[in-house]
């Protein structure tokens, strides 16, 4: 299978290289530009800026989303959770002015925008995990004499921790995609998004595509890393997947 | 066969259930007694038999304290109090366990909620002892999804047996199992019932032959002509009939005749 995928990639790259040179730069040109970008010191500063902001955003978003999701079990908080889910349809661009007034610097502005952008997606995924819990698991807890807090801990918190990790993995892609957008909205402190906007401005398509390829591979790497960590922390998830 | 029926362990009094004006259960009345045999630790095995869709699961949930009946009450314990959720163990048809916990941990959790305050060493010994009795010793470190359906069922039954609940409700325990595994389940249930004098297994099933073969008392659930809602239409005292506590009962001609006859009653 791996060999087949490898051969298909080589074929596509070969065709692209052969037909290249028009609007989209050829793979060879992009590859050379990637090397140049990586060698430049400013790339690593921008990369670290984006990565740290994404991780920070993921961390806070997860805490906020978990709090909203767990609270949604109390009927009083259910409408709040439902409203947060609907916030997926709000656009960040319209909120820049408001967040600029509410925050004191560019870093806070980007973090706030990122949080506002990804928390609804986190809550959506987490609520679907909670809603998907078999009622019989709660009944098992009651037959074992567990009180409500222990049931919450066993079934929803500990029992679904592996799925929280999976939600995190899936939503990292959204956060990573959103980070370039947020950095584009507030370019003051750089980042991969700011690099992209600048390159676009000067119609430097080789650099644009090189940054896109770098962003793509970093995203894929983190997807793999979070998946591997999930299997390592929660070995039973592998069995569950195999049984499906 | 010497035996004595002593105190009442569980009593259903005029239990009825309606949903949206439709009567599901009507005037369900039965009593379960402690059965005492000299020199034997004899628990009780009671079956509630009825065809699919008759309302067995609804009655099951009422007996477990999970659902409230529309009318009537289920009483248990020495003081005959109304059953509360958690007082009756439940083994569901699909053997629900904590999939994120190993088998050992699943059993430890059951012991944590036992009335007796066991030390860690006690817990370890009890689990080891029971795991050997129930052929689970080599699976203790595995996760539930690594076990077969039959093994998961054994863990599920053992888990409930390790709590301090004396009543265990089993929903269709023979469903989806092959003949060889059913024999093992029958052995296992008999073992559990004899672990304690007051242990009472209540089997809710449509499998007449296997339920009868293991029980001392059977209640038939069915509809009566021109009356809406299922009720208990017949009680079979298999001890009086000389058909209880006999491992070879399935080979008995009279038993087979009774099973055939029962099929027309449900």
């Amino acid at each position: 299978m791996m060999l087949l995928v490898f051969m298909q990639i080589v074929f596509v790259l070969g065709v692209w290289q052969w037909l290249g040179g028009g609007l989209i730069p050829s793979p060879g040109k992009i590859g050379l530009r990637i090397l140049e970008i990586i060698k430049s010191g400013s790339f690593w500063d921008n990369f670290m800026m984006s990565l740290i902001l994404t991780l920070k955003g993921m961390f806070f978003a997860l805490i906020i989303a978990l709090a909203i999701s767990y609270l949604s079990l109390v009927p009083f908080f259910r409408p709040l959770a439902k409203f947060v889910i609907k916030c997926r349809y709000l656009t960040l661009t319209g909120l820049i002015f408001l967040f600029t007034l509410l925050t004191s610097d560019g870093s806070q502005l980007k973090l706030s925008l990122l949080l506002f952008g990804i928390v609804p997606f986190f809550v959506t995924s987490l609520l679907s995990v909670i809603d998907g819990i078999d009622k019989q698991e709660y009944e098992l807890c009651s037959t074992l004499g567990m009180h409500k807090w222990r049931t919450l801990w066993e079934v929803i918190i500990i029992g679904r921790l592996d799925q929280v990790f999976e939600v995190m993995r899936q939503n990292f892609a959204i956060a990573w995609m959103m980070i370039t957008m947020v950095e584009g909205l507030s370019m003051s402190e750089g980042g991969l998004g700011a690099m992209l906007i600048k390159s676009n401005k000067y119609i430097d398509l080789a650099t644009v595509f090189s940054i896109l390829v770098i962003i793509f591979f970093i995203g894929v790497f983190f997807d793999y890393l979070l998946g591997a960590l999930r299997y390592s922390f929660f070995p039973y998830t592998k069995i569950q997947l195999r049984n499906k | 066969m010497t035996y004595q029926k002593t105190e009442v362990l569980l009593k259903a009094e005029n239990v009825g259930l309606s949903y949206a004006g439709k009567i599901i259960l009507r005037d369900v009345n039965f009593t379960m007694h402690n059965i005492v045999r000299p020199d034997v630790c004899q628990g009780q095995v009671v079956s509630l038999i009825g065809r699919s869709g008759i309302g067995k699961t609804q009655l099951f949930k009422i007996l477990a304290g999970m659902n409230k009946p529309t009318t009537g009450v289920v009483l248990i314990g020495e003081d005959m109090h109304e059953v509360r959720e958690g007082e009756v163990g439940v083994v569901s048809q699909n053997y629900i366990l904590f999939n994120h916990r190993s088998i050992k941990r699943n059993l430890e959790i059951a012991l944590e909620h036992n009335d007796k305050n066991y030390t860690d060493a006690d817990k370890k010994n009890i689990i080891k002892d029971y795991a050997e009795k129930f052929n689970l010793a080599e699976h203790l470190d595995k996760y539930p999804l690594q076990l077969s359906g039959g093994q998961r069922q054994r863990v599920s039954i053992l888990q409930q047996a390790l709590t301090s609940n004396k009543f265990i409700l089993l929903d269709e325990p023979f469903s989806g199992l092959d003949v060889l595994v059913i024999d093992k389940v029958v052995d296992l249930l008999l073992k559990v019932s004899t672990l304690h004098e007051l242990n009472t297994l209540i089997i809710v099933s449509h499998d007449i032959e296997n339920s009868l073969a293991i029980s001392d008392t059977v209640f038939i659930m069915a509809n009566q002509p021109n009356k809406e809602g299922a009720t208990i239409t017949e009680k079979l005292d298999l001890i009086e009939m000389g058909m209880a506590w006999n491992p070879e009962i399935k080979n008995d001609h009279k038993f087979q005749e009774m099973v055939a006859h029962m099929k027309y009653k449900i």
Side-chain angles (χ1 to χ4, degrees):
Chain A
M1 189 62 193
M2 286 297 284
L3 184 69
L4 183 71
V5 172
F6 178 74
M7 282 166 63
Q8 285 176 346
I9 290 171
V10 170
F11 176 75
V12 170
L13 288 176
V15 172
W16 183 3
Q17 179 71 28
W18 183 54
L19 296 172
L23 187 64
I24 301 173
S26 65
K29 203 173 175 185
I30 292 173
L32 287 172
R33 186 58 59 88
I34 287 173
L35 286 175
E36 282 172 31
I37 291 172
I38 289 174
K39 278 180 193 166
S40 70
S42 63
F43 165 75
W44 291 105
D45 291 341
N46 284 312
F47 166 66
M48 287 311 290
M49 183 64 72
S50 296
L51 186 64
I52 289 168
L53 184 60
T54 309
L55 295 178
K56 245 188 191 174
M58 288 281 291
F59 176 74
F60 289 119
L62 191 65
I63 289 173
I64 296 167
L66 280 174
I68 295 171
S69 305
Y70 293 151
L71 280 173
S72 74
L73 294 167
V74 182
F76 179 80
F77 293 103
R78 192 75 186 170
L80 169 75
K82 292 274 180 199
F83 173 72
V84 172
I85 287 175
K86 300 296 177 209
C87 285
R88 285 173 300 163
Y89 299 105
L90 281 176
T91 166
L92 286 182
T93 317
L95 295 161
I96 296 176
F97 182 67
L98 177 71
F99 278 102
T100 310
L101 293 177
L102 289 172
T103 53
S104 55
D105 57 39
S107 172
Q108 270 190 22
L109 173 64
K110 284 194 285 187
L111 186 62
S112 311
L113 285 170
L114 190 61
L115 284 177
F116 194 85
I118 57 179
V119 163
F121 288 94
F122 262 74
V123 175
T124 307
S125 308
L126 288 171
L127 280 190
S128 98
V129 167
I130 292 172
D131 290 344
I133 295 173
D134 190 335
K135 201 183 158 203
Q136 286 183 313
E137 280 192 56
Y138 298 111
E139 290 173 355
L140 171 65
C141 291
S142 73
T143 62
L144 293 176
M146 290 182 183
H147 51 73
K148 286 204 179 340
W149 287 112
R150 179 71 201 268
T151 302
L152 177 82
W153 174 254
E154 199 62 48
V155 176
I156 298 174
I157 300 177
I158 291 292
R160 295 296 177 279
L161 211 53
D162 66 306
Q163 290 183 41
V164 169
F165 221 83
E166 180 61 17
V167 164
M168 213 161 77
R169 189 172 77 95
Q170 285 171 12
N171 286 283
F172 183 84
I174 295 170
W176 193 236
M177 183 200 75
M178 221 167 256
I179 190 79
T180 49
M181 196 169 76
V182 167
E183 285 171 342
L185 296 172
S186 170
M187 294 172 62
S188 60
E189 289 165 327
L192 294 175
M195 275 176 80
L196 259 181
I197 301 282
K198 278 177 197 161
S199 307
N200 261 325
K201 198 173 162 186
Y202 299 111
I203 320 171
D204 183 0
L205 287 182
T207 307
V208 169
F209 276 85
S210 304
I211 296 169
L212 280 178
V213 169
I214 292 169
I215 287 172
F216 173 77
F217 279 109
I218 294 169
V220 169
F221 169 72
F222 273 98
D223 188 74
Y224 170 79
L225 184 71
L226 288 169
L229 285 174
R230 181 189 176 203
Y231 294 141
S232 154
F233 292 152
F234 313 103
Y236 52 87
T237 41
K238 250 187 183 170
I239 310 159
Q240 279 174 338
L241 288 174
R242 218 167 35 221
N243 286 356
K244 274 180 185 170
Chain B
M1 204 179 289
T2 326
Y3 73 95
Q4 202 184 345
K5 285 191 177 178
T6 59
E7 76 270 26
V8 174
L9 299 176
L10 185 146
K11 195 175 186 181
E13 273 183 356
N14 302 319
V15 170
L17 184 74
S18 304
Y19 271 139
K22 190 175 185 290
I23 300 169
I24 313 289
L25 299 172
R26 174 181 53 80
D27 300 330
V28 174
N29 287 291
F30 58 83
T31 309
M32 294 176 195
H33 290 268
N34 181 19
I35 297 165
V36 181
R37 289 169 76 190
D39 306 322
V40 181
C41 181
Q42 183 65 59
Q44 296 63 235
V45 183
V46 179
S47 287
L48 281 164
I49 294 176
R51 62 174 168 77
S52 301
I54 195 92
K56 294 194 301 291
T57 307
Q58 301 303 329
L59 182 57
F60 180 93
K61 290 194 170 179
I62 290 172
L63 291 174
M66 291 169 183
N67 282 357
K68 286 262 176 208
T70 317
T71 58
V73 67
V74 175
L75 306 167
I76 65 163
E78 279 179 34
D79 58 346
M80 282 285 114
H81 62 272
E82 193 173 345
V83 67
R84 289 184 293 265
E85 193 173 8
E87 285 185 313
V88 176
V90 170
V91 177
S92 60
Q93 205 174 340
N94 38 0
Y95 331 127
I96 296 287
L97 291 164
F98 298 118
N99 287 337
H100 58 287
R101 302 284 194 194
S102 67
I103 301 304
K104 193 176 160 194
R105 196 64 199 110
N106 265 280
L107 299 177
E108 278 173 357
I109 287 173
L111 277 177
E112 279 168 19
H113 296 87
N114 190 300
D115 283 348
K116 292 166 190 148
N117 288 323
Y118 292 117
T119 63
D120 286 348
D122 287 341
K123 282 181 200 164
K124 201 177 162 188
N125 288 333
I126 292 169
I127 288 170
K128 198 180 158 211
D129 185 33
Y130 276 83
E132 274 166 15
K133 266 188 199 161
F134 291 82
N135 297 326
L136 290 166
E138 61 188 291
H139 306 298
L140 285 177
D141 292 324
K142 290 181 184 170
Y143 287 98
L145 289 174
Q146 287 176 294
L147 304 187
S148 68
Q151 289 165 338
R152 275 210 300 277
Q153 188 191 39
R154 265 184 302 182
V155 178
S156 200
I157 294 169
L158 181 54
Q159 191 182 43
Q160 294 297 335
L162 288 177
T163 63
S164 44
N165 292 334
K166 292 289 172 273
F167 293 92
I168 301 179
L169 272 161
L170 298 113
D171 190 13
E172 301 287 359
F174 312 113
S175 178
L177 301 176
D178 63 49
V179 181
L180 289 174
V181 179
I182 285 177
D183 286 343
K184 283 185 182 174
V185 173
V186 167
D187 283 346
L188 168 75
L189 295 178
L190 288 174
K191 266 186 200 170
V192 172
S193 74
T194 52
L195 287 175
H196 192 281
E197 181 62 45
L198 295 179
N199 270 8
T200 304
L201 303 186
I202 306 169
I203 296 169
V204 178
S205 177
H206 63 263
D207 184 329
I208 301 169
E209 185 178 1
N210 288 306
S211 304
L212 258 65
I214 191 179
S215 303
D216 49 65
T217 312
V218 175
F219 293 102
I220 315 282
M221 253 182 98
N223 286 311
Q224 289 174 318
N226 305 320
K227 284 184 179 173
E228 197 185 355
T231 190
I232 301 293
T233 52
E234 199 172 337
K235 176 190 171 184
L236 299 176
D237 189 332
L238 296 178
I239 313 172
E240 273 184 15
M241 294 163 85
M243 290 187 188
W245 310 320
N246 178 0
E248 302 302 321
I249 194 68
K250 279 190 196 173
N251 301 325
D252 188 295
H253 174 65
K254 272 186 185 171
F255 176 83
Q256 285 303 332
E257 268 183 9
M258 187 174 67
V259 170
H261 184 59
M262 292 272 293
K263 285 177 186 166
Y264 297 101
K265 290 190 174 180
I266 64 170

